[in-house]
Amino acid sequence: MAPDRGSINDLPPPYPPEAGDDADEDVKYLPEGQHFTLRGIAAGLLIGLIICFSNMYFGLQTGWISMMTMPSSLLGFGLFKTLSRHLSFPFSPVENVFVQSVAGGMAIMPLGCGFVGVIPAMEYLLKPSEQGPIHLSMWKLIIWSLGLCYFGVVFAVPLRRQVIIREQLKFPSGFSTAVLIGVLHGRGQTQSSGTLDTSKAATFGSLALENRPLVQVGDANDEGDGTDSVDEPPSNEAEKQYSWRSNIRLLLITFGVSGLYTLCTYFLPVLRNLPIFGTVAADTWLWTLNPSFAYVGQGIIMGPSTTIHMLIGAIVGWGILSPLAKHRGWAPGSIDDWESGSKGWIVWTSLAIMLADAVVSLGFIAFTPLIKHGPSYLANAKQKLQHSGLKGLLSRQPNGYVPVRASEDDSRLSAVSRSSDDLDSLPSPSIERRDPFASQPVYSQRVWDEDDAPPEQLVGGKTVSIGLVLSVLFCIASIHITFGDLVPLYATIIAVFMAMILSIMGVRALGETDLNPVSGISKLAQLFFALIIPQSHKSSVLINLVAGAVSEAGALQAGDLMQDLKTGHLLGAAPKAQFWGQIIGATVGAVVSAFIYRLYTAVYEVPGDLFQVPTGFVWIFTARLVTGKGLPYMAREFAIGGAVIFAVFTALRTKAIGKSWHAYIPGGIAVAVGMYNVPSFTLARTIGGLLNWYWRVHLRKEDTPLIIVASGFILGEGFLSIVNLLLQSSQVPHL
């Protein structure tokens, strides 16, 4: 089914009647703008390409990537604002949502297709006894990545109604992105000009400019002032012009500073590892600082809590366990040796911590709805059984769309109860005036006061059904084409369906905690496949890697789309347009990521000094662990101890969500990442986390400039790494 590109005649009205009109203030309107545009696709793919290069670069270094939704929105706004004089129609918030959906779908492909972990593990770390190493040709890389990039997106669509419409999960990053887009496109409003009434930010379009009661100014001295700030265009327009220009200028400055540092690191590689604790700590125990602006930016985005937990992991792993294993002879090799050194020895403890965190947190997410709603479901089933017998228990409810009503006495017609005549009688937008030189065309008004998008803007059930079947079949076929008989067909089928189940947990975790635990999900899949695939199978390790990769891809894509759908829901964007935008971005991103990966691995040594691919080692070690390959001496005891401790910590964190002391309990994933990454990256991220704390808590300033600085730092190094790659391929000497 082709995407609905929209047309000029389909545009909803730009603004509601002014405050002085006789209209009801509680009436909501559909947002202005086109939801699906060719220029939006082009802009999203351009922004996604930059982020894709950045994510591949940082992913091969540390395994970390970012969806960069807020930077995507900012870049899209800056691009179209610069070209505003040449646009045939204005760039609206809903089109901005579409741009960041395309960019986000493309940006996550380096991780979603396994290019920063699974593929390097297969190509460089798999032993001959494990049917490796497996070197994939370019066309097989593309087939593999395309096979993984669709089913998670399609599967996420049916989940939207439950987690966004009914349960109204928070999705904090999605909410923040919606707020940022509203500020960028707002009429002179800034984040500090009013307080956000989050209780109203749940229904469709509740953050759109058309529905302004969401922002409430809290100054009591303004009670007698009946002037609406919107009616003062000169000062507000000047403020808005200054705001976006200064933000773009700040982004370009930080981009340039980070890019310049990146070029300097090529000619002066010592800049990547400064011995701030002395040469002994640096040479012997690998305690150095990588003063990368990009990793400082990552720390800013992660926040103080996560980065401090990573620092705890680095101190425990590299400051305590590594010297202990070395001096006791448990890891007799060189410290930075993954096989016989303490670098590889401490990974087992970090793996155990990740597994414990995944089991406890995902188990909590899986069973909480059952515990919460189970008694009511049982009572309802018992009532049906007593009233209508077995036939009533098994009867199906109408499966049409029923909007969630604000109150029981809501007399609005649902889409199910409306007849075709009712639907046809809804106000249809049409053009009243279309001036190509006007700043905003004028359209007739369309009122929409439902809790979800209009039916024509939703993804149809037929599209989801056909798309899900085709995407699953294509995924199974692509894995078979890529690996042949090395991966049995039944194992692939089980992996895909298990990925869907785990994707539900990932989406719920993202909605409740703002963290999509894809690492833990992949480890759970690996653990499950260790139980169903015999250890004697010649490809047991390879099958384990493939199963984990499929689960990670599904959870990552489903979470990314759901985050975007939350943003679009708040701003009134069409879910259908976002869905097709994600599909387009994922398709291009899968192909481009394969080329970028092969480009980096052809020029640089992998694993090497620049690209250590730590997550590749985590993947292969997990596969060997769960398939019974054995652990180094004394690693089992410390792994069990770490698992027990962090199972308790994770249980406490799940109970402490929303409480002030939640941030003080170490998070298992963050601690594990700090343990398997060398300290140089963790120290830089901690600096960024502390800067975040100083800016937001101590100075109490708004987040937007901080987000811009972090984005510029990350994108600057990620994009300018292409220049370093060209210098490396040309064999330009270092200084």
Side-chain angles (χ1 to χ4, degrees):
M1 182 176 180
D4 181 12
R5 288 175 169 80
S7 65
I8 297 298
N9 292 328
D10 294 331
L11 286 177
Y15 301 111
E18 295 298 328
D21 291 352
D22 295 329
D24 185 354
E25 293 183 359
D26 293 330
V27 174
K28 295 197 305 182
Y29 299 83
L30 287 181
E32 84 282 6
Q34 296 195 36
H35 298 264
F36 189 103
T37 62
L38 293 178
R39 70 184 191 184
I41 294 175
L45 293 180
L46 177 62
I47 296 170
L49 179 63
I50 298 174
I51 302 175
C52 197
F53 263 102
S54 298
N55 280 340
M56 185 70 74
Y57 176 79
F58 297 119
L60 290 173
Q61 283 188 337
T62 66
W64 183 90
I65 74 154
S66 173
M67 291 187 286
M68 303 285 281
T69 52
M70 285 187 279
S72 298
S73 302
L74 179 65
L75 289 171
F77 179 82
L79 176 63
F80 282 101
K81 193 71 175 178
T82 304
L83 301 174
S84 59
R85 293 179 180 272
H86 309 285
L87 301 180
S88 57
F89 54 91
F91 182 62
S92 63
V94 294
E95 191 177 4
N96 198 332
V97 171
F98 177 70
V99 168
Q100 65 99 12
S101 295
V102 175
M106 186 175 181
I108 63 172
M109 286 299 107
L111 177 61
C113 297
F115 291 117
V116 302
V118 175
I119 298 298
M122 294 177 181
E123 292 197 327
Y124 301 104
L125 307 178
L126 208 59
K127 297 178 179 179
S129 60
E130 300 164 337
Q131 305 300 309
I134 296 177
H135 184 80
L136 301 177
S137 62
M138 178 57 69
W139 78 272
K140 282 192 173 182
L141 278 179
I142 294 174
I143 291 294
W144 156 266
S145 54
L146 286 174
L148 294 184
C149 76
Y150 295 124
F151 75 92
V153 178
V154 181
F155 182 70
V157 175
L159 302 179
R160 174 183 177 274
R161 181 183 174 191
Q162 178 64 30
V163 300
I164 292 180
I165 307 302
R166 290 191 177 277
E167 298 185 43
Q168 299 178 0
L169 296 186
K170 296 178 181 179
F171 290 96
S173 290
F175 181 88
S176 299
T177 304
V179 172
L180 177 63
I181 293 176
V183 169
L184 291 173
H185 294 265
R187 306 173 198 173
Q189 291 175 338
T190 64
Q191 285 174 300
S192 59
S193 64
T195 59
L196 213 54
D197 185 1
T198 56
S199 64
K200 297 182 181 179
T203 56
F204 184 73
S206 54
L207 277 180
L209 295 178
E210 290 73 17
N211 308 307
R212 286 171 289 169
L214 180 66
V215 177
Q216 301 174 338
V217 178
D219 190 352
N221 296 328
D222 294 337
E223 290 180 354
D225 188 1
T227 305
D228 191 343
S229 62
V230 178
D231 296 328
E232 301 175 3
S235 61
N236 286 338
E237 276 301 313
E239 180 183 351
K240 189 168 73 171
Q241 285 279 354
Y242 172 77
S243 177
W244 83 263
R245 288 186 184 277
S246 61
N247 287 339
I248 295 299
R249 188 182 302 113
L250 180 60
L251 181 69
L252 293 177
I253 291 173
T254 53
F255 183 95
V257 170
S258 182
L260 180 62
Y261 167 81
T262 304
L263 291 177
C264 292
T265 59
Y266 178 83
F267 296 102
L268 299 170
V270 69
L271 290 176
R272 296 196 193 102
N273 291 287
L274 299 182
I276 59 172
F277 299 109
T279 56
V280 174
D283 297 338
T284 306
W285 306 111
L286 307 184
W287 276 93
T288 61
L289 170 66
N290 182 354
S292 162
F293 289 97
Y295 284 104
V296 173
Q298 291 179 12
I300 291 174
I301 291 177
M302 291 175 179
S305 175
T306 300
T307 53
I308 292 297
H309 296 167
M310 286 183 176
L311 181 62
I312 292 173
I315 293 173
V316 172
W318 296 93
I320 299 175
L321 296 183
S322 176
L324 181 64
K326 179 68 175 178
H327 285 299
R328 293 293 183 93
W330 304 334
S334 175
I335 297 296
D336 60 352
D337 192 319
W338 285 99
E339 296 294 332
S340 60
S342 57
K343 187 176 187 178
W345 191 91
I346 61 177
V347 165
W348 298 105
T349 304
S350 70
L351 276 178
I353 292 173
M354 291 175 68
L355 281 171
D357 183 275
V359 170
V360 175
S361 60
L362 294 178
F364 179 82
I365 292 169
F367 289 107
T368 295
L370 189 63
I371 296 173
K372 184 177 180 180
H373 303 293
S376 61
Y377 289 154
L378 289 176
N380 187 36
K382 183 178 179 180
Q383 184 178 2
K384 283 185 176 181
L385 189 62
Q386 293 174 347
H387 182 70
S388 305
L390 189 61
K391 182 179 179 180
L393 182 63
L394 299 177
S395 62
R396 295 180 60 185
Q397 296 295 324
N399 56 4
Y401 168 73
V402 182
V404 181
R405 300 185 176 183
S407 62
E408 292 298 326
D409 58 352
D410 192 345
S411 61
R412 294 172 298 184
L413 289 172
S414 71
V416 169
S417 60
R418 289 185 181 123
S419 65
S420 58
D421 293 336
D422 294 328
L423 290 174
D424 292 337
S425 66
L426 287 173
S428 177
S430 59
I431 290 183
E432 293 181 356
R433 176 173 59 83
R434 178 73 165 87
D435 182 359
F437 299 100
S439 61
Q440 177 68 50
V442 178
Y443 307 93
S444 64
Q445 301 296 320
R446 179 174 178 183
V447 175
W448 187 258
D449 201 18
E450 303 286 358
D451 293 316
D452 199 1
E456 68 273 10
Q457 293 185 6
L458 298 172
V459 183
K462 186 176 180 181
T463 302
V464 174
S465 301
I466 296 175
L468 191 59
V469 172
L470 292 179
S471 62
V472 168
L473 292 177
F474 182 52
C475 179
I476 295 171
S478 68
I479 293 175
H480 183 71
I481 293 172
T482 304
F483 300 105
D485 295 334
L486 290 176
V487 180
L489 186 61
Y490 75 89
T492 305
I493 295 173
I494 294 173
V496 173
F497 284 98
M498 184 179 181
M500 294 181 185
I501 297 173
L502 293 176
S503 295
I504 298 174
M505 299 184 187
V507 166
R508 295 192 64 85
L510 186 64
E512 294 174 2
T513 67
D514 205 29
L515 175 65
N516 192 349
V518 291
S519 297
I521 284 173
S522 62
K523 301 301 172 283
L524 282 180
Q526 289 184 273
L527 184 62
F528 176 77
F529 266 77
L531 301 176
I532 66 173
I533 301 296
Q535 296 180 8
S536 58
H537 195 289
K538 63 178 182 179
S539 304
S540 60
V541 175
L542 176 62
I543 295 170
N544 199 276
L545 292 174
V546 171
V550 172
S551 295
E552 183 176 68
L556 182 66
Q557 292 154 18
D560 179 42
L561 179 60
M562 202 62 66
Q563 192 90 272
D564 292 344
L565 288 174
K566 179 68 174 182
T567 302
H569 178 73
L570 296 175
L571 292 171
K576 181 190 291 186
Q578 290 185 266
F579 168 75
W580 287 110
Q582 182 93 359
I583 291 290
I584 294 170
T587 302
V588 178
V591 177
V592 169
S593 294
F595 280 99
I596 297 175
Y597 169 78
R598 191 55 74 204
L599 189 62
Y600 275 123
T601 55
V603 173
Y604 292 98
E605 179 186 3
V606 177
D609 291 336
L610 182 61
F611 297 130
Q612 301 182 23
V613 289
T615 50
F617 285 95
V618 170
W619 275 95
I620 198 72
F621 281 15
T622 305
R624 289 169 182 166
L625 168 65
V626 298
T627 53
K629 301 299 179 181
L631 278 71
Y633 183 67
M634 289 300 294
R636 181 188 305 274
E637 288 77 4
F638 280 87
I640 293 174
V644 171
I645 292 173
F646 277 88
V648 175
F649 281 170
T650 304
L652 290 174
R653 282 178 62 85
T654 55
K655 299 297 291 183
I657 292 176
K659 295 182 173 61
S660 59
W661 48 278
H662 176 267
Y664 296 98
I665 305 174
I669 298 297
V671 171
V673 170
M675 292 181 72
Y676 70 68
N677 275 318
V678 291
S680 60
F681 300 118
T682 303
L683 292 174
R685 287 169 171 168
T686 304
I687 293 173
L690 294 176
L691 287 175
N692 179 305
W693 172 85
Y694 181 77
W695 180 269
R696 297 178 61 199
V697 178
H698 185 72
L699 298 181
R700 297 183 180 276
K701 295 190 176 182
E702 61 175 342
D703 294 347
T704 303
L706 199 63
I707 296 169
I708 294 170
V709 169
S711 304
F713 283 163
I714 295 171
L715 295 176
E717 181 166 341
F719 191 70
L720 268 294
S721 67
I722 302 171
V723 178
N724 283 12
L725 185 145
L726 296 176
L727 294 174
Q728 181 73 20
S729 62
S730 303
Q731 298 183 346
V732 176
H734 304 287
L735 297 181

